[in-house]
Amino acid sequence: MSDWMVTRSPLPRRRSRALSPLREHLRDTFWFAPTAAMVGVFVVWLVAQELDAALVRSLQEGGDFDTLAELLRFANDAKTVVSAVGSAMMTFIGVVFSISLVAVQMASGQFSPRVVRLFVRSRITKATFAVFLATFVLTLLVLTSYDSTPDPRAATSVPLVQSVLTLLMVALSLLLFVLYVNGTLRLMRIGHVIARIAAESFRAAALMPAATEEGETAGTGPVTAWVAHEGRAGVLRDVDIARLVRVARGHGVVLRLVPRIGDFLVPGTPVLAVHGGAAPPRRALRYTLSVGVERTFHQDPAFGLRQLSDIGLRALSPAVNDPTTAVQALDRVVQILAALSRRPLDAVVHRDRRGAARLVRPVPGWTELVDLGFAEVRGCAVGAPQVSRRLLAGLDDLLLLAPPERHEPLLRHRELLRQAVERGTPAPADRAFALLPDRQGIG
């Protein structure tokens, strides 16, 4: 085996945190960041208003009415700018919203409807909307602080700090708008979309615990109780691993998750098998399973391969006919499978602080991941030599990286691809060309 295969770096592993499911759910929403920004700017405005009031009181107590009169004139000049910012900011927000809708529609139509979540989770998009709305709210609040009297002795408020804060927010809004346009244009390019999907897949794989010993999950003993799903029907998005481990430890049992992350659940479906004792009470298991309308990357290492397969299939459809995009998707499929080729799969075990197994969670096996990454694209590769050549090169690379016990699905896909090309390509020269491994497809 060559040196580069021996020294390749493993996936980083991160310890799952108790708030991880909540954090992931908030990232999948679009309301939290703007709402938090508007609440935060209201608090900042209260502080700035108190600073301005303290400044006025200090100048009045010191008898420095000339300086206070100058500040009043400056505030009146700044009021014109603040009013203009307030009226223009809503137009700015409308422009940003329109750009987002166009980008989402293009990505959904050209790539896959499942990549829309990349736009929803985009930090720069949320930050831009949050700052724009916060700036608009701030301008409205600042306008209420202007004093109508021009007499410095009777003035109660001079929004000096508030006006400066508004100008800083405007400058931040302009900077974020430039970054937002740049980020949106990047997300409309297929290469960056595919790279983001691969990065999310690696994060999900990094959350998997350390290696599971062979046969370890078989030592949990017989099933002593079952826990059924009683919530709404939907896709199992993730589970609160830390809480389930605590519940299992507190009741002296081992819990085994029956469905995989990404499975569709209906009420009454068994979701937890209990080993070694009675089932924990329902109140202890409340909110430990999250069910939604679509899959997420969190705790679902197969979802990235699902999206890449969708992109490759759409690119190879007669309506699109873009084999280069399919090759780009295959590049990342091979990368993800190479990273998972030597990791334990099928099931992962989560332990308590004493090292005892408390939660067994099923994950896709190696054969299932290989089929997910290659089966559908392979079926459309006949007639697209660029794709068949890249697919063969990827399978050959994985045969070098994967241990011998994981070669069977790779060899099966290689043979099925060869047979399909031979059946669909009558000319011997074309068959030889289509079956020549090439990491770039066709140069």
Short mmCIF file of all heavy atoms in Angstrom, two decimals, residues 9 14 35 80 88 93 99 104 117 126 165 173 241 275 281 286 307 309 324 332 359 390 408 418:
data_model
loop_
_atom_site.label_atom_id
_atom_site.label_comp_id
_atom_site.label_asym_id
_atom_site.label_seq_id
_atom_site.Cartn_x
_atom_site.Cartn_y
_atom_site.Cartn_z
N SER A 9 -5.46 11.57 6.69
CA SER A 9 -5.96 11.98 8.00
C SER A 9 -7.36 11.47 8.21
O SER A 9 -8.19 11.47 7.30
CB SER A 9 -5.95 13.50 8.13
OG SER A 9 -6.74 14.07 7.12
N ARG A 14 -16.24 14.93 16.97
CA ARG A 14 -16.69 15.91 17.94
C ARG A 14 -17.64 15.24 18.92
O ARG A 14 -18.48 14.42 18.54
CB ARG A 14 -17.41 17.09 17.26
CG ARG A 14 -16.52 17.87 16.33
CD ARG A 14 -17.28 19.05 15.80
NE ARG A 14 -18.42 18.62 15.03
CZ ARG A 14 -19.35 19.45 14.56
NH1 ARG A 14 -19.27 20.74 14.83
NH2 ARG A 14 -20.37 19.02 13.86
N THR A 35 -35.36 37.90 14.73
CA THR A 35 -36.06 38.25 15.97
C THR A 35 -35.09 38.58 17.08
O THR A 35 -35.26 39.57 17.81
CB THR A 35 -36.97 37.08 16.40
OG1 THR A 35 -37.88 36.78 15.34
CG2 THR A 35 -37.75 37.43 17.65
N THR A 80 -32.27 64.12 9.66
CA THR A 80 -32.57 63.97 8.23
C THR A 80 -31.98 62.67 7.69
O THR A 80 -32.63 61.94 6.92
CB THR A 80 -32.01 65.16 7.45
OG1 THR A 80 -32.54 66.38 8.00
CG2 THR A 80 -32.38 65.06 5.99
N ALA A 88 -35.38 54.11 3.37
CA ALA A 88 -34.67 53.34 2.35
C ALA A 88 -34.41 51.90 2.78
O ALA A 88 -34.24 51.02 1.92
CB ALA A 88 -33.34 54.01 2.02
N ILE A 93 -34.39 45.87 2.08
CA ILE A 93 -34.82 44.55 2.52
C ILE A 93 -35.60 43.84 1.41
O ILE A 93 -35.43 42.64 1.18
CB ILE A 93 -35.67 44.67 3.80
CG1 ILE A 93 -34.82 45.17 4.96
CG2 ILE A 93 -36.31 43.33 4.15
CD1 ILE A 93 -35.61 45.46 6.22
N ILE A 99 -33.71 38.81 -4.26
CA ILE A 99 -32.52 38.06 -4.69
C ILE A 99 -32.56 36.65 -4.12
O ILE A 99 -32.24 35.67 -4.81
CB ILE A 99 -31.25 38.80 -4.26
CG1 ILE A 99 -31.12 40.13 -5.01
CG2 ILE A 99 -30.01 37.95 -4.51
CD1 ILE A 99 -29.94 40.97 -4.56
N VAL A 104 -33.11 30.80 -4.76
CA VAL A 104 -33.71 29.55 -4.30
C VAL A 104 -34.43 28.84 -5.45
O VAL A 104 -34.33 27.62 -5.61
CB VAL A 104 -34.68 29.83 -3.14
CG1 VAL A 104 -35.56 28.61 -2.86
CG2 VAL A 104 -33.92 30.21 -1.89
N ARG A 117 -32.33 23.98 1.50
CA ARG A 117 -31.98 24.14 2.90
C ARG A 117 -30.62 24.81 3.08
O ARG A 117 -30.34 25.39 4.14
CB ARG A 117 -32.01 22.79 3.61
CG ARG A 117 -30.96 21.81 3.14
CD ARG A 117 -31.15 20.46 3.82
NE ARG A 117 -31.22 20.60 5.26
CZ ARG A 117 -30.16 20.69 6.05
NH1 ARG A 117 -28.96 20.71 5.51
NH2 ARG A 117 -30.30 20.78 7.35
N LYS A 126 -28.90 35.05 6.88
CA LYS A 126 -29.59 35.38 8.12
C LYS A 126 -29.02 36.64 8.75
O LYS A 126 -29.77 37.49 9.26
CB LYS A 126 -29.49 34.21 9.10
CG LYS A 126 -30.24 32.98 8.65
CD LYS A 126 -30.08 31.87 9.66
CE LYS A 126 -30.82 30.61 9.21
NZ LYS A 126 -30.66 29.50 10.16
N LEU A 165 -24.83 55.48 16.54
CA LEU A 165 -25.11 54.05 16.46
C LEU A 165 -25.87 53.70 15.19
O LEU A 165 -25.59 52.68 14.54
CB LEU A 165 -25.91 53.62 17.69
CG LEU A 165 -26.27 52.14 17.80
CD1 LEU A 165 -25.02 51.28 17.88
CD2 LEU A 165 -27.15 51.90 19.02
N SER A 173 -24.65 47.40 7.52
CA SER A 173 -25.63 46.88 6.55
C SER A 173 -25.05 46.87 5.14
O SER A 173 -25.24 45.90 4.39
CB SER A 173 -26.91 47.71 6.60
OG SER A 173 -27.52 47.66 7.87
N ILE A 241 -29.27 12.67 22.06
CA ILE A 241 -28.43 11.56 22.52
C ILE A 241 -28.08 11.71 23.99
O ILE A 241 -28.18 10.75 24.77
CB ILE A 241 -27.16 11.48 21.65
CG1 ILE A 241 -27.52 11.13 20.21
CG2 ILE A 241 -26.18 10.45 22.21
CD1 ILE A 241 -26.36 11.19 19.25
N HIS A 275 -33.61 -2.81 26.72
CA HIS A 275 -32.90 -4.03 27.10
C HIS A 275 -32.52 -3.94 28.58
O HIS A 275 -31.90 -2.96 29.00
CB HIS A 275 -31.64 -4.23 26.26
CG HIS A 275 -31.90 -4.32 24.79
ND1 HIS A 275 -31.97 -5.52 24.11
CD2 HIS A 275 -32.10 -3.35 23.86
CE1 HIS A 275 -32.20 -5.29 22.83
NE2 HIS A 275 -32.28 -3.98 22.65
N PRO A 281 -40.50 5.97 31.99
CA PRO A 281 -41.80 6.65 31.84
C PRO A 281 -41.80 7.61 30.67
O PRO A 281 -40.76 8.12 30.25
CB PRO A 281 -41.97 7.38 33.18
CG PRO A 281 -40.59 7.51 33.73
CD PRO A 281 -39.84 6.30 33.26
N ARG A 286 -39.87 12.45 26.82
CA ARG A 286 -40.51 13.51 26.06
C ARG A 286 -39.46 14.41 25.43
O ARG A 286 -38.47 14.79 26.05
CB ARG A 286 -41.43 14.32 26.98
CG ARG A 286 -42.31 15.34 26.26
CD ARG A 286 -43.23 16.01 27.25
NE ARG A 286 -44.11 15.03 27.92
CZ ARG A 286 -44.86 15.33 28.96
NH1 ARG A 286 -44.84 16.54 29.48
NH2 ARG A 286 -45.62 14.39 29.49
N GLN A 307 -28.47 13.69 -1.52
CA GLN A 307 -28.52 14.93 -2.28
C GLN A 307 -27.59 14.89 -3.49
O GLN A 307 -27.95 15.35 -4.58
CB GLN A 307 -28.16 16.11 -1.38
CG GLN A 307 -29.17 16.38 -0.30
CD GLN A 307 -28.91 17.69 0.40
OE1 GLN A 307 -28.99 18.76 -0.18
NE2 GLN A 307 -28.55 17.61 1.68
N SER A 309 -26.65 12.24 -5.13
CA SER A 309 -27.27 11.36 -6.13
C SER A 309 -28.39 12.08 -6.87
O SER A 309 -28.53 11.93 -8.09
CB SER A 309 -27.80 10.10 -5.45
OG SER A 309 -26.76 9.34 -4.88
N THR A 324 -21.10 16.86 -16.92
CA THR A 324 -20.03 17.44 -16.11
C THR A 324 -20.48 17.66 -14.67
O THR A 324 -19.72 17.44 -13.73
CB THR A 324 -19.55 18.75 -16.73
OG1 THR A 324 -19.10 18.52 -18.07
CG2 THR A 324 -18.41 19.35 -15.93
N ARG A 332 -17.50 14.14 -5.14
CA ARG A 332 -17.78 14.25 -3.71
C ARG A 332 -18.32 12.94 -3.14
O ARG A 332 -18.08 12.64 -1.97
CB ARG A 332 -18.77 15.38 -3.47
CG ARG A 332 -18.25 16.74 -3.90
CD ARG A 332 -17.02 17.14 -3.11
NE ARG A 332 -16.54 18.46 -3.50
CZ ARG A 332 -15.57 19.11 -2.86
NH1 ARG A 332 -14.99 18.56 -1.81
NH2 ARG A 332 -15.18 20.30 -3.27
N LEU A 359 -26.97 3.63 24.82
CA LEU A 359 -27.82 3.89 23.65
C LEU A 359 -27.15 3.32 22.42
O LEU A 359 -25.96 3.58 22.16
CB LEU A 359 -28.04 5.40 23.46
CG LEU A 359 -28.81 5.81 22.21
CD1 LEU A 359 -30.24 5.29 22.25
CD2 LEU A 359 -28.80 7.34 22.04
N ARG A 390 -15.60 8.29 -15.10
CA ARG A 390 -15.37 8.81 -13.74
C ARG A 390 -15.86 7.82 -12.69
O ARG A 390 -15.22 7.67 -11.64
CB ARG A 390 -16.12 10.15 -13.56
CG ARG A 390 -15.96 10.73 -12.15
CD ARG A 390 -14.50 11.07 -11.88
NE ARG A 390 -14.25 11.50 -10.52
CZ ARG A 390 -13.76 10.72 -9.56
NH1 ARG A 390 -13.53 9.43 -9.82
NH2 ARG A 390 -13.50 11.20 -8.37
N GLU A 408 -16.86 -6.11 -1.84
CA GLU A 408 -17.94 -6.76 -2.61
C GLU A 408 -18.90 -5.78 -3.27
O GLU A 408 -19.14 -5.89 -4.49
CB GLU A 408 -18.71 -7.73 -1.69
CG GLU A 408 -19.72 -8.60 -2.43
CD GLU A 408 -21.04 -7.89 -2.68
OE1 GLU A 408 -21.40 -7.03 -1.85
OE2 GLU A 408 -21.69 -8.17 -3.71
N ARG A 418 -19.99 -2.29 -16.23
CA ARG A 418 -19.38 -2.87 -17.43
C ARG A 418 -20.42 -3.56 -18.30
O ARG A 418 -20.45 -3.38 -19.52
CB ARG A 418 -18.27 -3.84 -17.03
CG ARG A 418 -17.48 -4.41 -18.22
CD ARG A 418 -16.59 -5.54 -17.77
NE ARG A 418 -17.37 -6.67 -17.27
CZ ARG A 418 -17.97 -7.56 -18.05
NH1 ARG A 418 -17.88 -7.46 -19.37
NH2 ARG A 418 -18.66 -8.56 -17.53
#
